[in-house]
Amino acid sequence: MDSLISKNDKSVLQMILNPNLPFTEQEDNIDSVEDPDAHFDAVKVEKVKELEREGVKLAENKKIVESLSCFDEAIQILPERASAYNNRAQTKRFNNDIDGALEDLNRAILLGNNRGKVVGLAFAQRSIIMKLKGDDEESTKDLKRAAELGNKFAKQELVQRNPYAALCNQMLSQVIGELQGKSDES
């Protein structure tokens, strides 16, 4: 049945199923944005990525100080690359350094020029912090921006925050399921 649905139909269904999300026909092209690391020295990028992987592993093992050290080193090597700021922000958030996390998220968003997967993650993380601080309006704005950038968590969260959208989603899914059942019988 999926081949019977046009790109425009998919966009309309997306708008109906998720009314909180921005309407876009380019959703499928979100990941086709240029490589954010293309303008950096490849050797430095590989070193920084290795440091970030190590930092993430250390954070997962609750070795926060060592994790932060890895992200700090990655930032020293490539201070204009957004990813390490985003990862360090998450580690700072785990360590209850909310102001430090917000500072790093703002820096990641700025360095990422408001586009790309890392920036989507940064907006989603900042949204969580804003929600915890009781600023629902800013939290929702950040979630919408993260969703525009293709962040799946943000898309799901926006729908969950809107009970009407969740009900519409459930009803429409039921109707589509019934229609699929009828087309399978023919």
Side-chain angles (χ1 to χ4, degrees):
M1 173 157 174
D2 197 37
S3 62
L4 299 174
I5 300 175
S6 73
K7 189 172 185 172
N8 184 55
D9 291 342
K10 286 180 183 180
S11 295
V12 171
L13 280 173
Q14 179 68 16
M15 187 175 70
I16 293 169
L17 291 171
N18 300 305
N20 279 343
L21 299 182
F23 183 70
T24 177
E25 293 181 23
Q26 300 165 358
E27 184 175 0
D28 296 333
N29 298 326
I30 287 168
D31 291 327
S32 66
V33 177
E34 70 181 59
D35 178 8
D37 293 329
H39 61 283
F40 295 121
D41 176 81
V43 174
K44 287 183 177 180
V45 169
E46 280 310 308
K47 175 65 176 165
V48 165
K49 285 182 176 181
E50 179 57 37
L51 284 165
E52 286 185 64
R53 283 190 291 272
E54 183 64 23
V56 169
K57 283 183 201 172
L58 289 165
E60 288 172 349
N61 290 315
K62 298 187 181 17
K63 296 181 178 181
I64 302 301
V65 173
E66 296 91 336
S67 173
L68 289 171
S69 178
C70 285
F71 297 130
D72 290 345
E73 186 178 345
I75 289 168
Q76 285 177 349
I77 294 170
L78 283 175
E80 299 303 313
R81 187 170 179 272
S83 182
Y85 290 97
N86 187 64
N87 286 320
R88 186 171 73 175
Q90 186 163 355
T91 304
K92 285 180 175 181
R93 190 168 54 91
F94 291 152
N95 202 34
N96 293 317
D97 179 6
I98 302 305
D99 292 335
L102 281 172
E103 186 177 309
D104 279 352
L105 293 171
N106 291 335
R107 183 75 176 151
I109 291 166
L110 180 69
L111 290 173
N113 293 319
N114 269 333
R115 64 174 194 253
K117 184 177 179 179
V118 170
V119 175
L121 288 168
F123 273 114
Q125 281 196 77
R126 193 169 76 177
S127 170
I128 291 167
I129 292 172
M130 299 316 282
K131 180 83 171 164
L132 291 173
K133 287 182 157 236
D135 192 341
D136 290 342
E137 186 176 326
E138 282 301 312
S139 175
T140 300
K141 281 182 8 185
D142 281 350
L143 271 182
K144 286 180 179 179
R145 186 64 184 121
E148 289 171 354
L149 293 168
N151 186 281
K152 291 180 181 177
F153 164 80
K155 290 178 182 183
Q156 291 171 344
E157 185 67 19
L158 281 171
V159 171
Q160 287 178 354
R161 287 186 184 186
N162 182 345
Y164 176 73
L167 180 60
C168 287
N169 189 355
Q170 180 182 9
M171 291 170 45
L172 194 54
S173 293
Q174 207 171 21
V175 169
I176 289 172
E178 289 172 9
L179 289 174
Q180 283 178 329
K182 289 181 182 177
S183 68
D184 291 343
E185 294 173 4
S186 354

